[in-house]
Amino acid sequence: MNEQLQLGNIRDVLSRLEETILYALIERAQFHCNPTVYEPGRFGPAVGGLCLMDYLLRETEIIHARMRRYTSPDEHPFFQGLPEPILPRMAVAENPLIPNTINLNERIRSAYVANVIPRICAGGDDGQYGSSSVADVACLQAISKRIHYGKFVAESKYRSAPARFRSAAAAGDRDRLVNLITDPAVEEAVLRRVDLKARAYGRDGADEKARYNIDPAVAVVLFRDWIIPANKEVQVLYIRERVAKDSGT
Amino acid sequence: MNEQLQLGNIRDVLSRLEETILYALIERAQFHCNPTVYEPGRFGPAVGGLCLMDYLLRETEIIHARMRRYTSPDEHPFFQGLPEPILPRMAVAENPLIPNTINLNERIRSAYVANVIPRICAGGDDGQYGSSSVADVACLQAISKRIHYGKFVAESKYRSAPARFRSAAAAGDRDRLVNLITDPAVEEAVLRRVDLKARAYGRDGADEKARYNIDPAVAVVLFRDWIIPANKEVQVLYIRERVAKDSGT
């Protein structure tokens, strides 16, 4: 089987992405909420009428698109109309996924601003708009990658038992599909890992006293109530497209 | 005294920057050395004849300059000729430093490519040029900030005993200047902290087994042999300009 679809490798990637997300959240949590950064039009036409975070996100995606970031099946842009890559396509990039256009980034962006920022940052405004936005972009990119990696999870699971997925999808039975992709023991293990990592990373090594941290309980809740369910949502959407394609519909 | 110059606050910033540097190095260490990324002209005129990392660094600095990053006295660009900010200047930004043009970024960039990359990354090429470069930019920005923060350290130390610094600087006695700014106990504490943090952050929380890590001993060496000495070099350069300015020369 394609290396990218081996469940052990997928779990390593997911675990590694948890770390990237936690590092990024810890960086963002240094700054206040800075609601100004999320107000469209707040900085006028110079940023194209966008909010400041979206301006930085779009400009970053334009550069990364030129560096072929979004030719990779595990990367999903937040903006449309990005430029073509200036780097040649990677020779090795065999894509194990079916062609699909699943992209939950708009919802990810909204949920991040509405639910994550107020939970990890002090309220109010510290004027650090640039630094906040830079940290936001890193958070969003890492969270998006973790959530959309559900496509690889789903492809791998589908290949291991196509008939079961086909019958659940054909019956239009969403709950059965969700059941088929759910492994409570794995989810428990992820949450335990997130808790331990959040405790390790946020701590000042010298005196074992937590500083500039995000609350490990908050990190666990973000994964339990948002990142894991969104990853499963990606899996369900992908399986449906996968089955439809297999049935030639 | 200006809040930014209180030694306790400075040490908190430096300690926090250690964490940012370690997170960034750990991210970079996921990828191979990818020497292709550092070859000027390798990707042709589309990236302006630069190497790919420099291209991304310059494009990133252009966006960050627009977001007023380099109006902050603790930020130093790697490239010249960056655009003007589109954000209004921060109202709160009282700059406690004397005007100066100390910027060691060219040396930081060279040392990073020559000495850091081969120590933290597996040799060879994995084709992950974009991801490597994105991680490089985060590393360089964090390391540059940590090293140039020596300006705040120096201003704070100078204000606490101007006469001693003036006499050492007037005598052209570099060693005495270095002695005056050196606190071996603080340096030891930094290295101990870096070691503990590198051990905590690189470890997979679930099974206490190190993964995708940078060797804590390498992290300590980077701080001991490079980041701390470069920070002190910034302090010496700054003190000299500071004394010259005070003497009205």
Side-chain angles (χ1 to χ4, degrees):
Chain A
M1 192 189 277
N2 179 296
E3 227 180 64
Q4 274 190 287
L5 294 181
Q6 286 167 16
L7 225 42
N9 291 345
I10 290 175
R11 292 205 173 128
D12 281 347
V13 172
L14 294 180
S15 165
R16 188 61 194 67
L17 285 170
E18 286 155 26
E19 291 157 30
T20 302
I21 291 170
L22 290 171
Y23 298 150
L25 293 175
I26 291 169
E27 294 291 328
R28 179 61 182 88
Q30 294 176 88
F31 311 108
H32 289 222
C33 284
N34 291 326
T36 305
V37 158
Y38 309 110
E39 265 177 55
R42 183 68 173 66
F43 294 97
V47 297
L50 296 171
C51 76
L52 193 68
M53 178 190 75
D54 282 340
Y55 170 73
L56 180 66
L57 183 57
R58 192 191 59 188
E59 295 300 305
T60 303
E61 291 200 333
I62 288 172
I63 307 173
H64 289 186
R66 287 200 202 108
M67 297 176 72
R68 77 176 174 203
R69 180 174 189 138
Y70 306 106
T71 62
S72 179
D74 59 356
E75 294 284 357
H76 300 75
F78 286 79
F79 284 87
Q80 304 301 309
L82 297 172
E84 289 299 308
I86 53 180
L87 262 62
R89 278 186 94 87
M90 281 190 71
V92 296
E94 191 221 334
N95 183 353
L97 305 180
I98 58 155
N100 70 85
T101 55
I102 298 158
N103 183 330
L104 301 193
N105 277 342
E106 206 172 306
R107 278 162 53 191
I108 291 171
R109 186 206 162 287
S110 305
Y112 173 77
V113 174
N115 302 325
V116 179
I117 291 299
R119 286 190 192 171
I120 65 168
C121 299
D125 188 308
D126 58 18
Q128 300 288 337
Y129 303 148
S131 305
S132 294
S133 300
V134 169
D136 282 333
V137 168
C139 288
L140 284 171
Q141 288 182 327
I143 292 168
S144 169
K145 188 161 180 172
R146 176 70 171 69
I147 288 174
H148 287 105
Y149 221 79
K151 296 183 184 182
F152 291 86
V153 181
E155 178 67 30
S156 177
K157 289 178 179 165
Y158 180 81
R159 289 196 194 182
S160 70
R164 292 167 69 191
F165 284 104
R166 262 184 235 133
S167 102
D173 192 339
R174 191 180 188 287
D175 290 346
R176 225 168 94 205
L177 266 186
V178 172
N179 268 340
L180 281 173
I181 59 167
T182 299
D183 185 337
V186 168
E187 289 181 22
E188 279 302 313
V190 168
L191 296 178
R192 220 166 30 240
R193 219 159 52 192
V194 166
D195 179 57
L196 286 167
K197 287 176 182 172
R199 285 175 200 282
Y201 304 161
R203 178 188 296 160
D204 181 2
D207 58 8
E208 303 290 307
K209 176 184 73 167
R211 294 183 320 112
Y212 295 108
N213 199 355
I214 54 166
D215 182 350
V218 169
V220 169
V221 166
L222 290 178
F223 276 84
R224 188 193 66 200
D225 294 351
W226 180 41
I227 296 176
I228 292 175
N231 177 281
K232 286 162 73 172
E233 175 66 20
V234 167
Q235 293 186 50
V236 169
L237 294 170
Y238 182 87
I239 295 273
R240 281 190 182 145
E241 293 201 14
R242 185 68 170 89
V243 169
K245 193 204 154 216
D246 247 21
S247 332
T249 57
Chain B
M1 191 189 277
N2 180 296
E3 227 180 63
Q4 273 190 290
L5 293 182
Q6 286 166 16
L7 225 43
N9 291 345
I10 290 175
R11 291 205 175 129
D12 282 348
V13 172
L14 294 180
S15 166
R16 189 60 195 69
L17 285 170
E18 285 155 27
E19 290 157 29
T20 303
I21 291 170
L22 290 170
Y23 298 150
L25 293 175
I26 290 169
E27 294 292 328
R28 178 60 182 90
Q30 294 177 88
F31 311 108
H32 289 223
C33 284
N34 292 326
T36 305
V37 159
Y38 310 110
E39 265 178 55
R42 181 70 173 67
F43 293 97
V47 297
L50 296 171
C51 76
L52 193 67
M53 179 190 74
D54 283 339
Y55 170 73
L56 180 66
L57 183 56
R58 192 192 58 189
E59 296 299 307
T60 304
E61 290 201 333
I62 288 172
I63 307 172
H64 289 186
R66 286 201 202 107
M67 297 176 72
R68 77 177 174 202
R69 180 175 190 136
Y70 305 106
T71 62
S72 178
D74 60 355
E75 294 284 358
H76 299 76
F78 286 80
F79 284 88
Q80 303 302 310
L82 297 171
E84 289 299 309
I86 53 181
L87 262 61
R89 278 186 94 86
M90 281 190 71
V92 297
E94 190 221 336
N95 182 354
L97 305 180
I98 58 155
N100 70 85
T101 55
I102 299 159
N103 183 329
L104 300 193
N105 276 343
E106 206 173 306
R107 278 161 55 190
I108 291 172
R109 187 205 163 287
S110 305
Y112 173 78
V113 174
N115 302 325
V116 179
I117 291 300
R119 286 190 193 170
I120 65 167
C121 299
D125 189 307
D126 58 18
Q128 301 287 337
Y129 303 148
S131 305
S132 295
S133 300
V134 169
D136 282 334
V137 169
C139 289
L140 284 171
Q141 289 182 326
I143 292 168
S144 169
K145 188 162 180 172
R146 176 69 171 72
I147 287 174
H148 288 104
Y149 220 79
K151 296 182 184 181
F152 292 87
V153 181
E155 178 67 31
S156 176
K157 289 178 180 166
Y158 179 81
R159 289 196 194 180
S160 71
R164 292 167 68 190
F165 284 105
R166 263 185 233 133
S167 103
D173 192 340
R174 192 180 188 285
D175 289 346
R176 225 168 94 206
L177 266 185
V178 172
N179 268 339
L180 281 173
I181 59 168
T182 299
D183 185 336
V186 168
E187 289 181 21
E188 280 301 314
V190 168
L191 297 178
R192 221 166 29 241
R193 217 159 54 192
V194 166
D195 180 58
L196 286 167
K197 286 176 182 173
R199 285 175 199 281
Y201 305 161
R203 179 189 295 160
D204 181 1
D207 58 9
E208 303 291 307
K209 176 183 73 169
R211 294 183 320 113
Y212 296 107
N213 199 355
I214 54 166
D215 182 350
V218 169
V220 169
V221 166
L222 290 179
F223 276 83
R224 190 192 64 201
D225 294 351
W226 180 41
I227 295 176
I228 292 176
N231 177 281
K232 287 162 71 173
E233 175 67 20
V234 167
Q235 294 186 50
V236 168
L237 293 169
Y238 182 86
I239 295 273
R240 282 192 182 144
E241 293 201 15
R242 185 67 169 89
V243 168
K245 193 204 155 217
D246 247 19
S247 332
T249 56

Coordinates of all heavy atoms in Angstrom, one line a residue, chain B residues 73 95-102 151 155 237-238 240-242 245:
Chain B
P73 N 11.7 48.3 17.9 CA 13.1 48.3 18.1 C 13.7 46.9 18.3 O 14.9 46.7 18.3 CB 13.3 49.2 19.3 CG 12.0 49.3 20.0 CD 11.0 49.1 18.9
N95 N 10.6 54.1 22.4 CA 11.8 53.3 22.2 C 12.9 53.7 23.2 O 13.4 54.8 23.2 CB 12.3 53.6 20.8 CG 13.5 52.7 20.4 OD1 14.1 52.0 21.3 ND2 13.9 52.8 19.2
P96 N 13.2 52.7 24.1 CA 14.2 53.0 25.1 C 15.7 53.0 24.6 O 16.6 53.3 25.4 CB 14.0 52.0 26.2 CG 13.5 50.8 25.4 CD 12.7 51.3 24.2
L97 N 15.9 52.6 23.4 CA 17.2 52.4 22.9 C 17.7 53.7 22.2 O 16.9 54.6 21.8 CB 17.3 51.3 21.8 CG 16.8 50.0 22.2 CD1 16.9 49.0 21.1 CD2 17.5 49.4 23.5
I98 N 19.0 53.9 22.1 CA 19.5 55.0 21.3 C 19.4 54.6 19.9 O 19.4 53.4 19.5 CB 21.0 55.4 21.6 CG1 21.9 54.1 21.4 CG2 21.2 55.9 23.0 CD1 23.3 54.4 21.1
P99 N 19.3 55.6 19.0 CA 19.3 55.3 17.5 C 20.5 54.5 17.2 O 21.6 54.9 17.6 CB 19.2 56.6 16.9 CG 18.8 57.6 17.9 CD 19.2 57.1 19.2
N100 N 20.4 53.4 16.5 CA 21.6 52.6 16.1 C 21.3 51.8 14.9 O 20.1 51.6 14.5 CB 22.0 51.7 17.2 CG 21.0 50.6 17.4 OD1 21.1 49.5 16.8 ND2 20.0 50.8 18.3
T101 N 22.3 51.3 14.2 CA 22.0 50.6 13.0 C 22.7 49.2 13.1 O 23.0 48.5 12.1 CB 22.6 51.3 11.8 OG1 24.0 51.5 12.0 CG2 21.9 52.6 11.5
I102 N 22.9 48.7 14.3 CA 23.5 47.4 14.6 C 22.5 46.3 14.0 O 21.4 46.2 14.4 CB 23.8 47.2 16.0 CG1 24.7 48.2 16.6 CG2 24.3 45.8 16.3 CD1 24.7 48.4 18.1
K151 N 20.6 44.5 22.6 CA 20.5 45.9 22.7 C 19.8 46.4 24.0 O 20.2 47.3 24.7 CB 19.8 46.5 21.5 CG 20.5 46.3 20.2 CD 19.8 46.9 19.0 CE 20.5 46.6 17.7 NZ 19.9 47.2 16.5
E155 N 21.5 48.3 27.1 CA 20.9 49.6 27.5 C 20.6 49.5 29.0 O 20.9 50.5 29.8 CB 19.7 50.0 26.7 CG 19.0 51.3 27.2 CD 19.9 52.5 26.9 OE1 20.7 52.5 25.9 OE2 19.8 53.5 27.7
L237 N 28.8 46.1 20.8 CA 28.6 47.1 19.7 C 27.7 48.2 20.2 O 27.9 49.4 20.0 CB 28.0 46.4 18.5 CG 28.9 45.4 17.8 CD1 28.1 44.7 16.7 CD2 30.1 46.1 17.1
Y238 N 26.6 47.8 20.9 CA 25.7 48.8 21.4 C 26.3 49.7 22.4 O 26.1 51.0 22.4 CB 24.4 48.1 21.9 CG 23.3 49.1 22.3 CD1 22.4 49.6 21.4 CD2 23.3 49.6 23.7 CE1 21.5 50.5 21.8 CE2 22.3 50.5 24.0 CZ 21.4 51.0 23.1 OH 20.5 51.9 23.5
R240 N 29.3 50.5 22.9 CA 30.2 51.5 22.2 C 29.5 52.7 21.6 O 29.9 53.8 21.8 CB 31.0 50.8 21.1 CG 32.2 49.9 21.7 CD 33.1 49.5 20.6 NE 34.1 48.6 21.1 CZ 34.6 47.6 20.5 NH1 34.2 47.3 19.3 NH2 35.6 46.9 21.0
E241 N 28.4 52.4 20.9 CA 27.7 53.5 20.3 C 27.0 54.3 21.4 O 26.9 55.6 21.3 CB 26.6 52.9 19.3 CG 27.2 52.3 18.1 CD 26.2 52.2 16.9 OE1 25.2 52.9 16.9 OE2 26.5 51.4 16.0
R242 N 26.6 53.7 22.4 CA 26.0 54.3 23.5 C 26.9 55.3 24.2 O 26.6 56.5 24.5 CB 25.5 53.3 24.5 CG 24.7 53.8 25.7 CD 23.4 54.3 25.2 NE 22.4 54.6 26.3 CZ 22.3 55.7 26.9 NH1 23.1 56.7 26.6 NH2 21.4 55.9 27.8
K245 N 27.8 58.3 21.9 CA 26.7 59.2 21.9 C 26.7 60.1 23.2 O 26.5 61.3 23.1 CB 25.4 58.5 21.8 CG 24.2 59.4 21.4 CD 22.9 58.8 21.8 CE 21.8 59.9 22.1 NZ 21.0 59.6 23.2

